[in-house]
Amino acid sequence: MKDILEAPFLKEICKTASNMYRQGWDERNGGNISVRLDKKDLAPYLNVRDVIRTIPTKFDAKAIAGQYYIVTGTGKYFKNVEDDPETNLGIFRISDSGTEAELLWGYKDGGRFTSELPAHLMSHIARQAVDPESRVIIHTHPTNTISMNTVCPVDEDDFTHRLWQINTEAIVVFPDGVGMLPWMVCGTTAIGEATAEKMKKYRIVIWTNHGIYGAGKDLDETFGLIETVEKTAQIYMLTEGHKRLNLITDKQLKDIADYFGVTPKAGILK
């Protein structure tokens, strides 16, 4: 077997975790990442028949039984992932029953996956139904997005419009807009179900006073999606309290969408 520490998928998730920590999005043990893996990509590095232990998923994940995931661990700090991936990450397969995760590698200190795994897996199920190529869910705590969420109404169309108006790139990167949830207790099945329901329509879901859930086909796409929302929210907050003389009009937003061949969420542009 090849050294799994040299596996491209492992290096990529380590790099992403470090980048997110350096951005200041993942303080302490905040945030979590899950990536769906292909068996063929694992085969050179792991014997997938060798199960270390099983961990209850705490919900019925039978819809994705047999799928493989690499997921950050509960209580783990993103700043430590790159230095010690085997402690801070785990690779597992969803059991045939959907009620257990069969650990194949990682969590070597006896740990387990993030407490928000149900929300991740529910979101994976929802996004795969929309786009079978969807592989990544990232949850993070970007400062400016949370700040903007604090001063703006919990209204998806209004929040999306504010973002689109402030940064030309925004409507191109997330023409589907952003979903929003009111404040809810994190780590529960209820917030997982609510997030998954939003994920049927959005690749970005904002948890009020908490952070972002983002979905994508790979880590670069998902990181870039969150990064664009956060950069736009930063611009919004830097100009908060000032007279905004230059906002992008709805006509201009339509022109941008037409030029880049994207379809904005209906009902936002007048």
Side-chain angles (χ1 to χ4, degrees), residues 30-267:
N32 22 80
I33 302 172
S34 61
V35 181
R36 177 165 58 98
L37 302 173
D38 284 333
K39 184 178 179 180
K40 64 178 176 59
D41 293 328
L42 282 171
Y45 304 98
L46 288 176
N47 184 341
V48 296
R49 294 187 297 274
D50 292 343
V51 177
I52 299 170
R53 55 190 164 97
T54 59
I55 309 171
T57 57
K58 295 188 176 180
F59 91 107
D60 183 0
K62 197 166 186 177
I64 50 173
Q67 290 188 2
Y68 296 83
Y69 289 88
I70 183 168
V71 182
T72 48
T74 186
K76 304 305 183 186
Y77 291 33
F78 272 27
K79 70 182 182 67
N80 297 330
V81 172
E82 201 158 24
D83 289 336
D84 188 4
E86 193 172 0
T87 297
N88 294 285
L89 298 170
I91 297 173
F92 57 81
R93 176 178 54 231
I94 302 298
S95 68
D96 290 342
S97 68
T99 60
E100 292 180 322
E102 299 168 341
L103 184 65
L104 305 174
W105 177 87
Y107 307 144
K108 71 175 183 181
D109 59 352
R112 52 180 292 145
F113 41 68
T114 170
S115 61
E116 289 174 356
L117 183 73
H120 276 254
L121 295 183
M122 290 176 194
S123 291
H124 276 290
I125 292 168
R127 287 309 306 169
Q128 286 178 43
V130 177
D131 178 5
E133 295 302 313
S134 183
R135 292 182 172 274
V136 177
I137 299 291
I138 291 177
H139 170 55
T140 187
H141 304 160
T143 307
N144 294 286
T145 304
I146 299 171
S147 299
M148 184 176 169
N149 181 210
T150 303
V151 301
C152 295
V154 182
D155 180 310
E156 294 167 341
D157 288 358
D158 177 77
F159 201 90
T160 295
H161 194 233
R162 290 172 192 254
L163 292 169
W164 286 354
Q165 281 188 309
I166 211 97
N167 178 8
T168 299
E169 182 184 35
I171 196 171
V172 180
V173 176
F174 49 97
D176 44 344
V178 299
M180 301 185 79
L181 291 179
W183 185 89
M184 299 176 71
V185 175
C186 58
T188 63
T189 299
I191 199 169
E193 291 171 344
T195 304
E197 188 62 30
K198 292 291 184 183
M199 283 278 179
K200 294 177 182 178
K201 297 191 295 184
Y202 303 101
R203 292 170 298 137
I204 284 283
V205 179
I206 294 172
W207 286 7
T208 293
N209 303 126
H210 186 147
I212 277 182
Y213 255 68
K217 296 179 181 179
D218 55 41
L219 281 163
D220 273 352
E221 179 183 86
T222 313
F223 180 91
L225 176 62
I226 295 171
E227 187 178 35
T228 306
V229 173
E230 170 65 359
K231 175 65 174 286
T232 307
Q234 181 182 23
I235 297 167
Y236 186 94
M237 293 308 297
L238 285 170
T239 59
E240 182 72 350
H242 298 272
K243 184 177 181 180
R244 295 186 176 109
L245 298 177
N246 298 302
L247 291 174
I248 306 169
T249 67
D250 282 11
K251 169 64 168 62
Q252 291 168 333
L253 288 168
K254 289 175 183 176
D255 289 344
I256 296 166
D258 288 344
Y259 181 79
F260 284 95
V262 297
T263 302
K265 181 189 173 189

